[in-house]
Amino acid sequence: MSLVATLTLNPALDTSTSVAGIVPDQKLHCAAPKTEAGGGGINVSRGLHRLGTPSVAVYPAGGHTGALLEALLTAEGIASCVIPTKSAVRENFVVVDTASHQQYRFGMPGAPLTDAEQGQVLEALHQLTPLPDFVVLSGSLPPGMPPAFLARVARQAREAGSKVVADTTGPAMLAVIEAGAYLIKPNLGELSQLAGVPELDSAGVVATARQLIGAGRCEIVVVSMGPQGAYLVTCDLEDYVSAPVVKRRSTVGAGDSMVAGIVHALVHGQSLREAVRLGVACGTAATMNPGTELFHPADVEKLYRCLLQAIPAPHAAA
């Protein structure tokens, strides 16, 4: 079995609850809260575990919140490689207003990593045994961390023979692309930023992705478009996957779930078309659940079967 490592540089505890009406200056009586391990790469590891693919979640953590984060992952059966930090893990908060069906997400900034802690992250990844076939870089950077650090991580992983999968934003994504990646998963807005334009149409999506691939920045681009689905682009393949229509209850973790589906399929030798369809199925299934809950495998299976029926005949690029 291929080893997958996920890296989360800004992990979090995600607490979610609900209340019937959010109004100012009143005591609001919320439902019992639910706390889960969070952060981009950690959510990818949680999604992989639900699909039956083991991984090791690499992340910095300290304080009582860091201890709780590791305990939550252990309870889910997910292996952790923890880099001890002086600062505690941040906490995020999600509230659903059941009266308006609106979701409010409060994200805390996290704490900076010292130079020594950053060095320990690189060493922890280098010491993984066996070396991972896939290294997933997902989520935001902690305050003050230069995007160049993520480029160092990507180069180190590539030099060790790992395939780098990146799902981050802004300068961090640009840094990974400059270092080179196997697969990147920007959303439509993030790809527009990389292209330096306000927005992209379908032709622009393919053209921009091919520019990145042609420049040797990555091999595969999967552009997530929320409820509209996703584009898959390689040097000789383009494929649009329409997302199934479902009742959306929360978008928390949908992108991470999509990455988990894609990586799971690639680990098991499935085609790129199948991998992206499984990713769309996982991301869509995650939106069917409230709060910070990820997808249910039974929902993924149903959605994936429908998407497999829509795989087109092979289409070579002009």
Side-chain angles (χ1 to χ4, degrees):
M1 175 65 71
S2 300
L3 176 64
V4 179
T6 66
L7 176 62
T8 309
L9 290 169
N10 199 20
L13 288 177
D14 289 335
T15 298
S16 60
T17 186
S18 61
V19 65
I22 294 181
V23 293
D25 302 323
Q26 291 189 27
K27 183 180 289 186
L28 304 178
H29 298 282
C30 300
K34 182 177 183 180
T35 299
E36 296 175 292
I42 285 173
N43 278 336
V44 173
S45 280
R46 294 176 64 217
L48 286 168
H49 179 73
R50 294 186 181 202
L51 294 169
T53 292
S55 69
V56 56
V58 182
Y59 56 91
H64 72 281
T65 49
L68 178 55
L69 177 67
E70 184 177 2
L72 287 170
L73 288 173
T74 299
E76 285 193 54
I78 297 165
S80 290
C81 176
V82 182
I83 294 88
T85 61
K86 295 180 180 179
S87 301
V89 165
R90 66 192 174 117
E91 298 181 76
N92 294 332
F93 195 50
V94 177
V95 182
V96 175
D97 184 343
T98 57
S100 66
H101 302 291
Q102 296 294 312
Q103 182 184 80
Y104 298 84
R105 300 169 64 174
F106 302 89
M108 305 306 164
L113 294 183
T114 67
D115 290 343
E117 290 165 353
Q118 292 180 36
Q120 290 166 17
V121 170
L122 291 170
E123 184 62 21
L125 290 167
H126 181 68
Q127 293 295 331
L128 290 177
T129 304
L131 289 174
D133 291 332
F134 290 88
V135 174
V136 180
L137 311 178
S138 181
S140 62
L141 298 182
M145 174 173 281
F149 178 79
L150 212 55
R152 290 179 63 189
V153 173
R155 289 193 191 96
Q156 176 178 289
R158 290 184 65 204
E159 290 169 0
S162 301
K163 293 180 177 179
V164 175
V165 176
D167 180 20
T168 185
T169 61
M173 176 66 93
L174 187 59
V176 174
I177 292 172
E178 291 295 325
Y182 174 67
L183 184 152
I184 63 172
K185 191 203 73 68
N187 62 32
L188 192 57
E190 291 159 358
L191 188 68
S192 299
Q193 290 178 357
L194 292 174
V197 298
E199 60 183 29
L200 292 169
D201 57 16
S202 58
V205 166
V206 175
T208 300
R210 288 248 165 86
Q211 287 174 2
L212 295 172
I213 294 167
R217 304 306 187 193
C218 57
E219 297 180 36
I220 304 162
V221 180
V222 178
V223 186
S224 58
M225 299 186 295
Q228 280 72 51
Y231 263 103
L232 162 66
V233 184
T234 69
C235 63
D236 58 2
L237 172 67
E238 60 184 79
D239 187 16
Y240 170 66
V241 182
S242 178
V245 177
V246 299
K247 183 177 180 179
R248 299 174 67 197
R249 302 184 67 185
S250 172
T251 59
V252 177
D256 302 325
S257 295
M258 183 178 185
V259 173
I262 292 170
V263 173
H264 169 82
L266 294 177
V267 164
H268 291 273
Q270 293 179 254
S271 71
L272 284 175
R273 291 184 189 274
E274 291 170 329
V276 174
R277 279 162 174 77
L278 182 58
V280 170
C282 289
T284 302
T287 69
M288 298 166 62
N289 299 315
T292 58
E293 186 175 354
L294 299 183
F295 59 82
H296 295 165
D299 293 332
V300 170
E301 182 62 28
K302 292 176 184 177
L303 297 174
Y304 182 50
R305 279 201 228 104
C306 294
L307 290 171
L308 283 179
Q309 297 173 3
I311 291 184
H315 171 67

